[in-house]
Amino acid sequence: MEVCFGIPADIDLWMNLVRQVSSNFPGLETEEDLEKHRQTVLKFMEKRQALCVKSDDQIQGVLLFSRNRNMICCLAVSPGRRRKGIASRLLETALSELDRSRDISVSTFREGDEKGAAPRALYRKFGFIEAELTEEFGYPNQVFVLQKPSMKIEFRKAGIPDAEQLIEIYNASFYSDYLRYGECPAYGRTIEMMKQSIIDYPKFLILCDSRPVGCISCKMLEKGVYEVGCLCVIPEYQGKGIGSAAMEFAKSYYRDWSRFTLVTPVDKHENVRFYTKKCGFGIRSAEMDGSVKVARFVLERENELNQAGCMK
């Protein structure tokens, strides 16, 4: 089952599903309502905020989300494809696109409404909790909120005595890459290799509530230019805003930075989205790292300042 971004060419199939479930969604009662929704979906598609699951030349599930409002806007699954994990995969993917360092919200049906049993159970499974009662299109709803992590994130300069701890973090973080590509320079390092890496690429342990859960390492290439050699978080702590916090830490620690650069495999779409959408990097070029094609990412301080100046 693959979740992908919807594109304008999908709109007819998307609306076929919407028509199947429209009776369960207030505000989609008339043809005029459906046409307005169609135009809304197209706008979300343009912003890459529309997710779907396709199968057998049909769209089986859809989800709209808003990065600006940090919320889930709409989630629906074809009646014949429910209880197959489609809604969970859509929601999991959407949460990876949103800012986990802030509260994430969704509005769904109230307790006691037969239409709300499945979605309320789904949101609870993902850690959402009940919030205020509302109305949408005159229909009683309730907001659910996935609260931002209350964990304490700290950074500590790593030294040679931390080599064994870093190997454990690297192996846990990069095991999936090793399985995927058959090779991974960060996986399976010896103690001596890690000790040398600590010298060559100064590292900071990422601590979550005092537990080491990740690492960020940077090396100065020239004055103001830094190579991010590694930014990793162990799997059970991924998707909690720790990576974003680590990148912000690097920018504050290396105060003279004018440019950060790094590489990551071009087909690791979650990494590409993280660096481009959440950290502001741009893709500069592509190159080979052994047998793996990687993209070269660059974050320019001038561009970041310009973007900040445009925000109101």
Side-chain angles (χ1 to χ4, degrees), residues 151-165:
M151 57 196 175
K152 183 180 181 181
I153 301 174
E154 299 174 288
F155 301 88
R156 177 173 67 77
K157 185 73 176 289
I160 297 299
D162 296 306
E164 189 171 341
Q165 178 72 73

Side-chain angles (χ1 to χ4, degrees), residues 22-209:
S22 60
S23 61
N24 287 333
F25 289 88
L28 295 177
E29 293 86 359
T30 68
E31 286 298 321
E32 182 180 0
D33 293 333
L34 289 167
E35 179 57 31
K36 288 180 180 178
H37 185 73
R38 179 189 181 96
Q39 297 306 314
T40 297
V41 173
L42 287 170
K43 291 178 181 177
F44 274 73
M45 287 177 170
E46 291 175 1
K47 297 178 180 179
R48 291 177 64 82
Q49 296 180 162
L51 299 170
C52 62
V53 171
K54 301 177 185 177
S55 177
D56 301 325
D57 297 322
Q58 297 293 323
I59 287 181
Q60 308 291 357
V62 298
L63 185 149
L64 300 178
F65 66 93
S66 169
R67 293 189 183 90
N68 184 45
R69 300 176 66 185
N70 217 43
M71 69 179 296
I72 306 298
C73 304
C74 176
L75 171 59
V77 176
S78 173
R81 301 289 294 176
R82 292 172 183 169
R83 300 184 182 278
K84 297 183 182 295
I86 293 176
S88 292
R89 286 288 292 113
L90 285 165
L91 184 56
E92 180 181 29
T93 304
L95 293 178
S96 73
E97 292 286 329
L98 295 172
D99 184 357
R100 294 297 298 272
S101 66
R102 300 159 50 204
D103 287 353
I104 298 172
S105 64
V106 63
S107 180
T108 189
F109 304 105
R110 293 187 187 181
E111 187 75 42
D113 189 327
E114 63 179 11
K115 292 184 289 190
R120 291 173 69 92
L122 173 69
Y123 296 129
R124 287 193 181 108
K125 183 178 78 170
F126 277 82
F128 285 77
I129 60 173
E130 298 173 350
E132 68 268 22
L133 300 177
T134 62
E135 287 192 2
E136 291 189 13
F137 302 101
Y139 194 92
N141 273 30
Q142 184 169 24
V143 173
F144 270 55
V145 175
L146 181 60
Q147 294 180 323
K148 63 183 180 181
S150 58
M151 57 196 175
K152 183 180 181 181
I153 301 174
E154 299 174 288
F155 301 88
R156 177 173 67 77
K157 185 73 176 289
I160 297 299
D162 296 306
E164 189 171 341
Q165 178 72 73
L166 285 166
I167 288 174
E168 292 181 8
I169 290 172
Y170 274 47
N171 285 347
S173 301
F174 292 105
Y175 180 61
S176 61
D177 281 9
Y178 174 73
L179 294 180
R180 183 173 185 170
Y181 302 110
E183 60 177 296
C184 179
Y187 179 79
R189 293 187 176 184
T190 65
I191 288 287
E192 292 306 315
M193 290 170 65
M194 183 58 77
K195 288 180 178 178
Q196 188 61 48
S197 181
I198 292 170
I199 296 170
D200 295 339
Y201 271 89
K203 305 182 191 304
F204 286 86
L205 281 166
I206 305 173
L207 308 176
C208 179
D209 295 331

Side-chain angles (χ1 to χ4, degrees), residues 262-310:
L262 59 89
V263 296
T264 195
V266 296
D267 63 347
K268 289 205 70 176
H269 304 300
E270 64 274 23
N271 284 13
V272 173
R273 287 195 298 269
F274 169 73
Y275 286 118
T276 57
K277 301 296 184 183
K278 295 188 177 181
C279 298
F281 282 77
I283 300 176
R284 182 64 57 85
S285 62
E287 55 195 74
M288 296 301 297
D289 183 1
S291 62
V292 180
K293 187 176 182 180
V294 297
R296 170 67 60 179
F297 290 77
V298 175
L299 176 65
E300 302 277 3
R301 188 165 203 161
E302 181 180 354
N303 290 344
E304 185 178 74
L305 292 174
N306 288 340
Q307 290 174 6
C310 291

Side-chain angles (χ1 to χ4, degrees), residues 214-225:
C215 170
I216 182 168
S217 66
C218 295
K219 177 181 180 179
M220 187 172 72
L221 302 180
E222 58 185 84
K223 184 173 175 56
V225 180

